[in-house]
Amino acid sequence: MTLIPPAVGRRRPSEQEVIAVELISGLLMIIGLFAFAYLFYAIATNDTIREATQGPEVPGVGLNVVYKSPEGEQPFFELRPIEGGQAGASGIKEGDRLVSIDGEEVSGMSLAEVQARLAEKDVSREEDDFEITIGFLRPKPDGTFSQEERVVPKNVAPTLTIAYLKSFGFVVPLVVIGLGVLLIRLGSQLRRYDIIAARWALVVFLWLMIGVMVGAIWAFWVSGKGGLVGNAPFNYGKAISHAVPFLLAIIPLALSYRWLSKVIDEIFEGDETLMSRQTRFAWTLLVPTLTVLILVAARPLEQTFIKSLTDDEFSANRPARLIWFDNYKRLLSFKLTTVECKKDDTGECARSPNGSIVWQTSAVEEEERNKLREMSSAERKRYARYSEVSTLALPFGDKGLRILGKDPTFLNAVGNTLKFTVASVILELLLGLIIAMAVNSRFKGRGLMRAAMLVPWAIPTVVSAVLWSVILRGDQTGIFNKLLMDLGIISRPQQWFSANGPWMASIIAVDVWKTAPFMALLLLAGLQVIPSDLYEAAAVDGASKVRQFFSITLPMLRPTIAVALIFRTLDALRVFDVFQVLLDTTRPSMATYNYNRLVLTRSDGYASAVGVMIFILIFIFTVLYVRFVRIERE
Amino acid sequence: MNAKPRIASQQTLLVPRRITDLVGRALFWLLILAIAFYTMAPFAYAISISFRTNAQVLVSARYLPEDPQLINYQNLFEDSDFMRTMLNSSFVSSVTVVFSLVVGSFAAYALGRVQFKGRMIVMYTVLAMTMFPQISILSGLFAIVNDLNIFGSTAALIFTYPIFTLPFTVWVLTSFFQGLPAEIEQAALVDGATPFQTFWRILVPLTAPALVTTGLLAFIAAWNEYLFALTFTLVNKSAQTVPVAIANFGGYGYEIPIADRIAATVIVTVPVLVLVLIFQRRIIEGLTAGAVKG
């Protein structure tokens, strides 16, 4: 075989070098193709996707029946749970005698009919169509039978769309395909002895080596421990056998890298602008950060969004269904209506012991109640009705404005979060401004003072919440109550966090304590860059301190205040720790509501919808924030 | 409040001026004292309560302990579970910090010192990411952590923490890199150094103080993190971090464990406080440079 070396480069590459370049460009193309192949392989062999295309391994509830008719007895169907089916897990044992399916007696059915009913896998995707109720007789040791009933979920495959979206989504496949295309293109450019391609190839090899190393360590660790939770002894054989393929893959990469970097300036040719060089260098450095952000931010965010369009539940024994925007509809549905108050004997509005007006039921609620009455139990289970979020007394007459929602807890959470955000951010700004102004003037012990300001900031938020829950205990053992009583402000202990106490104010106070000093530090930095001759000039002109504050300090501080405000608003909108520690689940913030739905009630899809809404809300403020910072910097 | 404008005070009579001055000074110091009390009293009270027994705490509130005892601290230091959570927290935070600093300094160098296509987009994406609401991706991360088979381990935390440490590390370090004079690289380039050598041998040592600051902030953020730790380690006690342990504190007796719990909060906060007080100047610098979340 003769290869004609191309007549480019500073020197003609030797015949071996030509082969080497061919090999390296081949390697790049193979890696690119491998990325495609691996993607398809992963999709084709994915368990969920296979289930979606071929149906579940064990169809139906996973029960075999044997027809038996012993002498002197009624014939019966004996149940035999299939391994891997749901029946065994639901507590049906071999030897149980089938009596009914979904309440229908089986005595009149044929064996084939019964088998077909139990293996049924087509479901209409209605709530209770995912399970079969099986009535059976269980033989007892004394020869009698006990009548029992079990609800067994069917093995149902998810639809292909859901299976694909949940396991792969778009972000990662798109990145893999993009990289594959780039690598194949790079391989072909390398064959043209293009120096830019060669330099990119070096970068690619470098990061591939690092990536493969990380893969090797990961494979060694995870397969050795057999999952990271649990105390199984470390299996070195398995660990090494899983890590070796990765280590082998490094060899060709390392060889290519070394050889290429040695000859790069000798046999490759071309001009490169400084910009192109710098761009390559910058992107090289950005690779790990971008990888991490894709893995821990973009992909989970995509996953959350996909889930929010389904009715996925962790505990449910059924696959998720695509319900599009139903979760959002339910979260956001609300109605406004007026209600009359209940009259007491004097004709005035009746008040409950804590002073709030007692309202009557509204027409909307009556309507909902009637609707529910007419529904079957299955329909009732699925139906979300409008119920009260809160009622505001209208200024005239005996009427109130009632807000009704399909998910009152969520609407309450939104209300709580907004109230909390507005109040705490304003208070923090005022308090922070006072603290910053005080600390900005010169006095003995200023350094100490600044250190003291960092104390609340440094205490973990959860820890500060726990601490405040002790300080604000609702009886005489709470130090704040004692302090107020010693000062004669209150006469008996106040319940700070109880549902009809001033809990919102307490929560806000706890948050303000933690973050006002931090706000002060940000504002202090802004104060320090205001030139002092401005004040001097103002003083010479006879401007009072108050005047100076409003016509010098505030305008000069405006950008800092703007950034600090947006910054704090963003933080307050996603408040979690204080609500989670100090309040029960009936008074959530948006974030704790999301958490409760996800972890306590395990409704994954619904919680995801809440997460997406928080994201959108925060995103709006983030855009504002970025715009402000950008104006500041340019 | 500013000392200087006093010179130009329009008052000519000596005595009233002195009096207003004195009152002003007294009010000023009162304000300073009030601020100091406001910021420090709660933690001081925590220390005070940690020296009382649980039974005493449940009977009455006192500003100072009646007979100071170390029993709570003894219990905690003998409690291997609690010590384990301290170890977990230190381990997770340290690994997160080292990882974020190494990876983040690469990116920050690219964004702060190199002119390239797409720089602005990447930079403001990173800034936007510092505001990322962790709660929004909780359910998505839940699935990924499950797929990776690391649910309930400290690895789950090490895997997820970069989402809040990395963007702000990159952002703060970028500002620091931008503050360095431009001649540095030019001189190095003239001397024949490669860009990577310039970065590693010259710029990184120059930004060592910034690295310390950023590292500290990242450490504190990771040490204080609650949401992910709660979600991913609640099922496995041996992987829990300190905030989770304190929030779900079981105590050592049959009563509500107040004193022990508060002693635990003191133990957790002291290392962070010491760090903060030693490096306070740096921390304030770092906080204001990036206006980042604490």
Side-chain angles (χ1 to χ4, degrees), chain A residues 129-149:
Chain A
D129 205 21
F130 283 97
E131 21 185 68
I132 296 180
T133 312
I134 292 182
F136 58 92
L137 291 171
R138 173 160 290 173
K140 287 202 278 196
D142 58 5
T144 57
F145 293 93
S146 61
Q147 177 110 29
E148 305 211 15
E149 208 178 68

Side-chain angles (χ1 to χ4, degrees), chain A residues 304 314 331 409-410 413 575-576 585 588-615, chain B residues 133-140 227 231:
Chain A
T304 308
F314 285 133
L331 281 170
T409 324
F410 174 72
V575 58
F576 176 78
T585 52
S589 73
M590 278 158 66
T592 54
Y593 183 67
N594 186 346
Y595 177 84
N596 293 338
R597 265 354 251 299
L598 183 69
V599 176
L600 300 184
T601 60
R602 301 170 75 69
S603 26
D604 193 14
Y606 200 67
S608 299
V610 179
V612 171
M613 302 227 295
I614 298 176
F615 179 80
Chain B
Q134 278 143 264
I135 186 79
S136 293
I137 55 162
L138 195 63
S139 81
L227 177 63
T231 314

Side-chain angles (χ1 to χ4, degrees), chain A residues 54-119:
Chain A
Q54 296 169 3
E57 223 167 288
V58 182
V61 290
L63 271 178
N64 266 340
V65 254
V66 183
Y67 182 73
K68 282 192 173 171
S69 104
E71 251 175 80
E73 264 185 76
Q74 285 275 334
F76 60 86
F77 294 108
E78 194 180 281
L79 295 171
R80 301 254 166 94
I82 304 168
E83 214 166 302
Q86 307 273 10
S90 304
I92 292 173
K93 287 189 215 143
E94 188 165 340
D96 291 340
R97 296 175 180 191
L98 182 65
V99 175
S100 64
I101 298 171
D102 281 338
E104 235 175 286
E105 294 281 330
V106 291
S107 47
M109 293 187 198
S110 71
L111 179 62
E113 212 175 321
V114 171
Q115 278 170 339
R117 287 290 296 269
L118 292 177

